[in-house]
Amino acid sequence: MAGNEGTEATEDRWPGAGPLLLGVRHHGPGSARAVRAALEAARPRAVLIEGPPEADALIPLALDEGMRPPVALLAHAVDEPGRSAFWPLAAFSPEWVALRWALEHDVPARFIDLPAAHTLAWQRDDEDAPTDAREPQPGPSSGPGPGEDLAGVEDSPEEGAGEPSGRRRTPARAGAPAGPQTPGGPQTPGGPGAPHDSDAPAGPGTSGTSGARPGSEVRVDPLAVLAETAGYDDPERWWEDVVEHRGSRAADPFAPFLALEEAMEALREAYGSGGHGRNLVREAHMRLKVRAARREFGDGVAVVCGAWHVPALRRKATVAADRALLKGLPKIKADLTWVPWTHRRLSRASGYGAGIDSPGWYAHLFAAPDRPVERWLTKVAGLLREEDRIVSSAHVIEAVRLAETLAAMRGRPLPGLSETTDAVRAVMCDGSDVPQALVHDRLVVGDVLGEVPDTAPAVPLQRDLARLQRRLRLKPEAQVRELELDLRKETDAERGRLLHRLRLLGVGWGEPAASRSGTGTFRETWRLRWEPELSVRVAEAGVWGTTVLAAATARAESDAVGAQALAEVTALAEHCLLAGLTDALPVVMRVLADRAALDADVGHLAQALPALVRSLRYGDVRGTDTGALAGVAAGLAERIFVGLPAACAALDADAAEEMRRHVDAVHTAVGLLGDTLTAGHGDLRPRWHTVLRTLAERDTAPGVIRGRAVRLLLDDGAMEQDRAARLMGLALSPGTPPSDAAAWTEGFVGGGGGGMLLVHDERLLGLLDAWLTGVPAEAFTDVLPLLRRTFSAYEPGVRRTLGELVRRGPGQGGGPAGAQAAGAPGFGPGLDEERADAVAPVLRLLLGLDEATAIAARTATDGGAEANGIAAGTADTGAGAQGAAVGGTVRDGRARAAA
């Protein structure tokens, strides 16, 4: 039988006594190849793998055709889905290779690490315990193991194979490095057992934490110790040279594991366990599981675990001692399933405790059958070509030669990632780091997203979401992509509603973005990116309902009742309309009407109105009945009109600036509301203009609000230019304090369009220039920051034009008409014929005129009375009309050139 043959093979070929212990580096392609070779040689009767035992029932899914790594085992508390832990596995992870080998050879596979029920319970207890009562945490050179507290990691649930994730940030612990630091830290190399197991104190050659708490031991990075012992200053480079470049054709498949076990034994003898009791508990549970497997299968058992654990599993310990360590552990009910993972989440930069620098590179090393450097550089060339960079086959050949030369000069057996990176930068990127950064992001790290089969366990909400994703053809992707939606199409409208509902549930798969193809309300642009932790958010949102629609409706009703501010309720009403939650709207509208009736703060009302007006517009596009919203919006607007003048009195600078923003928002909302409200509510714009006139002429209102009121009236055509110039002259008169005048100026010409207003109305520019030149020297430094903030918001071209006008001196008559007349102030006294002649050929070329037409244009330009007739618009049709157009253009160009 196969089982007996496996036993004989193990006993004949495995040189050690007892079970076959395969110590690995998590997410190490070299370890993965070595594990596969060792399993093929030993043919064990059972394979035991470091992982949560509750996932044993999920192991057969690893052989499903729909399962494509990277994936992760997700464990979450049944009563609190947000409390979760991940065990990520990539195609090049030794644990994944062991799982696949066992399933392909019909060999039982089991997980033997501490159950997830204890891991999640430990996490909860650590969050509830005082900081001083918690167990010492790993320093930056080690990673936490299952059961270790990760509550300090906010929204970063993936902390290594079995590292639980916390959702709430807790104060930094003593002994932790200053500043933001995720467990495992940026120095964690993901070494043998180290990614989430290295728990020994630091020794020579390690970089531990500074300022450690008295009595605590600094953690060791096993790879760093071994690398320094071998004379390397980079653990990653040492690992590549010793393991990754070693290949899979070793004569003895067990030799790497024996050597690694010997090294780990020496490290643990020197450093001990580091006083980290939780790893001792995990190892006790593993020993009990190994004993049980040996009773069932004999010594034909292979154990795949972090290399740091191997000495502990080999050590003799009594059953009673191991059970004593496990006695009284906290426990909660947990559910497990498979979820997709990404290479980016495997990278150390994402905060992953078992992170590696280059998951994409490691995946390539594991998958490449031969010549990995040549194949890698070919991938790089293909990517750069897709980005329209000129890269030929010669570039690839030269880059391969350079990488091999660098490896020889550095004494390495084969080119590694550093050599290929240097070669790509020098040969294919012309020494630039910009395309090199693209290569690092797309290939060295990568955006590969795994897949799990539909048969994997999932909460009902997750199944409903998967069904909607398939029906609407919205495939989750790890790479950011933009999605343009036309809400007039039914499929696009349903996509938009789904994304809005998910946002309401806290599942941020998509974020609204500015549309580049139009600004109509029937268009939406989304930026989509699926992150692995969104699976936890979906499970967490399952408490609201079994479908996306039901869950979003229940969540909206609950949020409306619990909202504290009126603006929150109006924003929720807008979300309900965007998400198509018609069943939730009555509850939201009832709460909105109650809150609006009781809230007397004009600022709160002004914050609430814009969202209501947008909701009315969106309702029109989506065909939603918004009659109730229109009544509430009209009522809010009337109350704002009544209370705004009094609310603008006696405000300091910060409050005045905030109120100015409210005035702008209400002005925009009233303009939209006038186009949206039915005839029963009337047009609100005349009443709003009356309020603005009151503000513009009220001395008790801050200058920034008075200036903004004048500007808004002028933009709407509700105030004559002469009246605006008079108010500006009064505001900038010598009797006005410079700070108040500067605030009025900011309100009047600040923001978009203010610069063009000064460009086209030189009378206003002259008033501003006269005031500015008359500001006393002692007051100028006080108003300068305000003026700089105002004018820095203008476009560069507008600022340049204003500077030219000020240099020439603004006109006395003012107005655009004056600028067009002959000899207008601000322009040159006459035409510079020589400079104008330089303009004419360019105009003829742009307009496509032939020589005869060009002569007619020149004649029209120099024709005296005829030219004046052309300027007056009396030119006839045919050639005369064409000459008039060109003559006017050339004359205008001459005037500008002469100036």
Side-chain angles (χ1 to χ4, degrees):
M1 295 177 62
N4 294 332
E5 293 174 1
T7 304
E8 295 173 1
T10 303
E11 292 174 351
D12 292 344
R13 301 182 185 181
W14 169 236
L20 175 61
L21 300 182
L22 303 178
V24 300
R25 179 193 188 189
H26 301 293
H27 312 311
S31 291
R33 287 193 301 266
V35 164
R36 183 166 54 193
L39 293 177
E40 287 290 347
R43 298 282 175 170
R45 296 181 59 193
V47 177
L48 307 181
I49 302 169
E50 184 180 337
E54 298 100 327
D56 285 350
L58 303 176
I59 289 177
L61 291 174
L63 204 58
D64 193 290
E65 292 183 358
M67 181 76 80
R68 298 178 182 176
V71 293
L73 285 168
L74 164 64
H76 64 85
V78 174
D79 298 332
E80 192 179 354
R83 189 174 304 284
S84 58
F86 290 102
W87 284 259
L89 297 172
F92 50 86
S93 298
E95 298 89 346
W96 179 258
V97 170
L99 277 179
R100 295 278 300 185
W101 185 93
L103 293 173
E104 291 168 357
H105 292 80
D106 199 21
V107 172
R110 298 173 184 174
F111 290 115
I112 62 172
D113 205 347
L114 194 69
H118 299 307
T119 298
L120 298 175
W122 257 342
Q123 175 190 350
R124 181 187 60 186
D125 292 348
D126 280 345
E127 291 178 358
D128 296 338
T131 301
D132 293 341
R134 292 176 182 165
E135 192 171 346
Q137 296 301 303
S141 60
S142 70
E148 296 184 8
D149 175 30
L150 296 185
V153 184
E154 182 178 21
D155 293 333
S156 182
E158 63 293 344
E159 297 303 332
E163 286 78 359
S165 69
R167 292 283 309 284
R168 296 181 292 275
R169 185 174 296 278
T170 58
R173 297 170 178 80
Q181 180 72 27
T182 58
Q187 299 176 13
T188 304
H196 64 277
D197 311 312
S198 54
D199 52 1
T206 64
S207 57
T209 57
S210 59
R213 183 173 55 203
S216 66
E217 296 181 78
V218 183
R219 302 301 185 259
V220 68
D221 177 0
L223 274 190
V225 177
L226 296 176
E228 185 170 2
T229 304
Y232 284 75
D233 57 357
D234 183 1
E236 291 291 329
R237 189 160 58 89
W238 173 80
W239 182 262
E240 279 192 351
D241 289 350
V242 174
V243 178
E244 305 303 339
H245 296 165
R246 174 178 168 274
S248 57
R249 300 181 181 179
D252 183 0
F254 308 112
F257 300 103
L258 292 174
L260 200 53
E261 179 179 350
E262 183 179 355
M264 292 298 114
E265 180 68 35
L267 286 176
R268 295 202 69 158
E269 286 180 1
Y271 302 114
S273 65
H276 204 284
R278 293 187 176 175
N279 265 356
L280 298 178
V281 173
R282 293 175 58 208
E283 291 164 351
H285 189 273
M286 292 183 196
R287 284 194 294 267
L288 291 176
K289 287 290 187 179
V290 172
R291 289 191 188 96
R294 293 181 68 183
R295 286 194 300 268
E296 183 178 355
F297 301 105
D299 282 343
V301 174
V303 181
V304 180
C305 64
W308 184 259
H309 295 305
V310 171
L313 299 185
R314 185 77 69 188
R315 181 173 60 87
K316 299 295 183 181
T318 63
V319 175
D322 287 343
R323 288 178 177 172
L325 287 173
L326 299 172
K327 185 177 180 180
L329 290 180
K331 185 177 182 180
I332 59 176
K333 189 176 181 180
D335 279 346
L336 280 84
T337 186
W338 289 105
V339 295
W341 206 250
T342 66
H343 275 178
R344 192 170 299 279
R345 283 298 181 186
L346 286 173
S347 68
R348 187 176 306 155
S350 70
Y352 172 45
I356 51 180
D357 288 331
S358 49
W361 166 254
Y362 276 9
H364 170 78
L365 290 180
F366 182 73
D370 55 13
R371 299 191 294 179
V373 176
E374 290 84 345
R375 294 177 184 274
W376 175 259
L377 292 175
T378 302
K379 282 184 181 180
V380 173
L383 172 64
L384 294 177
R385 285 174 181 172
E386 291 175 1
E387 298 298 325
D388 295 328
R389 291 191 64 87
I390 301 176
V391 180
S392 65
S393 301
H395 286 84
V396 177
I397 296 172
E398 187 60 31
V400 171
R401 290 176 178 172
L402 179 56
E404 292 175 346
T405 302
L406 290 174
M409 293 176 61
R410 296 170 182 176
R412 308 193 65 181
L414 288 174
L417 180 60
S418 59
E419 285 73 31
T420 56
T421 298
D422 292 342
V424 167
R425 181 186 294 107
V427 178
M428 299 184 186
C429 301
D430 300 324
S432 173
D433 287 332
V434 175
Q436 179 60 47
L438 176 69
V439 173
H440 182 273
D441 184 69
R442 298 278 187 86
L443 293 181
V444 177
V445 176
D447 284 307
V448 178
L449 176 65
E451 298 180 9
V452 298
D454 296 335
T455 54
V459 296
L461 182 62
Q462 176 66 60
R463 295 195 181 280
D464 183 63
L465 175 58
R467 178 184 61 82
L468 292 173
Q469 288 171 336
R470 289 192 299 269
R471 184 169 68 84
L472 299 177
R473 298 186 296 278
L474 277 177
K475 183 180 179 181
E477 296 177 354
Q479 193 169 6
V480 177
R481 71 182 181 100
E482 283 196 356
L483 179 67
E484 293 277 353
L485 299 180
D486 185 344
L487 301 181
R488 296 170 296 185
K489 301 177 181 178
E490 183 59 30
T491 300
D492 282 359
E494 288 193 43
R495 289 174 174 175
R497 286 193 289 267
L498 173 62
L499 294 172
H500 281 294
R501 290 169 184 173
L502 291 176
R503 288 192 74 219
L504 195 60
L505 290 171
V507 182
W509 179 20
E511 292 293 333
S515 177
R516 292 182 292 183
S517 58
T519 58
T521 56
F522 58 86
R523 293 188 180 277
E524 278 186 353
T525 302
W526 291 85
R527 185 172 290 108
L528 304 181
R529 182 174 188 174
W530 185 267
E531 299 284 3
E533 60 266 24
L534 294 180
S535 300
V536 180
R537 303 290 183 267
V538 174
E540 198 172 8
V543 300
W544 298 105
T546 57
T547 65
V548 176
L549 176 59
T553 299
R555 177 67 181 271
E557 294 174 351
S558 176
D559 289 351
V561 174
Q564 300 296 323
L566 178 61
E568 295 179 14
V569 186
T570 55
L572 187 59
E574 181 181 9
H575 291 161
C576 288
L577 286 173
L578 293 172
L581 303 178
T582 55
D583 293 340
L585 266 180
V587 176
V588 176
M589 291 306 304
R590 184 173 63 252
V591 175
L592 177 59
D594 294 343
R595 294 288 176 84
L598 297 175
D599 200 331
D601 191 303
V602 174
H604 293 168
L605 299 177
Q607 286 178 333
L609 184 61
L612 279 181
V613 175
R614 289 196 301 267
S615 300
L616 288 171
R617 298 186 72 204
Y618 291 139
D620 292 342
V621 175
R622 291 164 172 80
T624 308
D625 183 12
T626 56
L629 276 178
V632 175
L636 280 181
E638 293 287 355
R639 295 176 61 193
I640 292 172
F641 296 165
V642 173
L644 185 60
C648 291
L651 298 178
D652 60 15
D654 294 336
E657 180 62 26
E658 183 179 1
M659 188 60 71
R660 182 195 63 80
R661 290 193 293 267
H662 290 331
V663 171
D664 285 342
V666 172
H667 181 76
T668 303
V670 169
L672 297 176
L673 201 58
D675 300 330
T676 307
L677 288 180
T678 60
H681 296 285
D683 192 354
L684 299 176
R685 281 173 289 200
R687 292 221 37 211
W688 173 241
H689 290 158
T690 302
V691 175
L692 290 178
R693 290 191 189 93
T694 302
L695 291 175
E697 299 177 1
R698 177 165 293 191
D699 295 336
T700 57
V704 66
I705 296 178
R706 288 186 284 118
R708 178 58 67 177
V710 174
R711 166 72 182 283
L712 296 177
L713 289 169
L714 192 62
D715 289 346
D716 281 0
M719 177 178 286
E720 301 79 7
Q721 288 192 357
D722 291 341
R723 177 65 176 166
R726 179 177 178 276
L727 290 174
M728 186 176 187
L730 291 175
L732 302 183
S733 62
T736 304
S739 58
D740 292 346
W744 196 98
T745 301
E746 182 185 20
F748 183 70
V749 298
M756 295 303 297
L757 180 65
L758 296 177
V759 168
H760 290 284
D761 195 332
E762 293 191 26
R763 178 172 44 180
L764 298 180
L765 179 61
L767 291 172
L768 181 61
D769 182 55
W771 166 76
L772 187 58
T773 55
V775 173
E778 60 274 9
F780 183 76
T781 54
D782 295 334
V783 302
L784 182 59
L786 208 66
L787 295 173
R788 179 175 295 173
R789 183 174 63 188
T790 300
F791 290 99
S792 63
Y794 296 164
E795 294 291 334
V798 174
R799 293 201 302 268
R800 182 171 57 252
T801 302
L802 288 175
E804 292 176 356
L805 290 176
V806 171
R807 176 177 58 83
R808 299 166 186 163
Q812 303 300 319
Q820 294 175 2
F827 291 87
L831 297 181
D832 187 333
E833 295 288 342
E834 183 178 354
R835 296 181 65 186
D837 287 340
V839 177
V842 178
L843 292 176
R844 287 197 300 269
L845 180 62
L846 292 175
L847 298 176
L849 301 177
D850 55 17
E851 186 64 21
T853 307
I855 294 174
R858 183 62 179 271
T859 303
T861 303
D862 299 332
E866 183 181 356
N868 293 333
I870 293 173
T874 58
D876 203 351
T877 58
Q882 190 176 23
V886 177
T889 305
V890 173
R891 182 169 57 258
D892 183 65
R894 286 184 171 184
R896 294 181 181 275

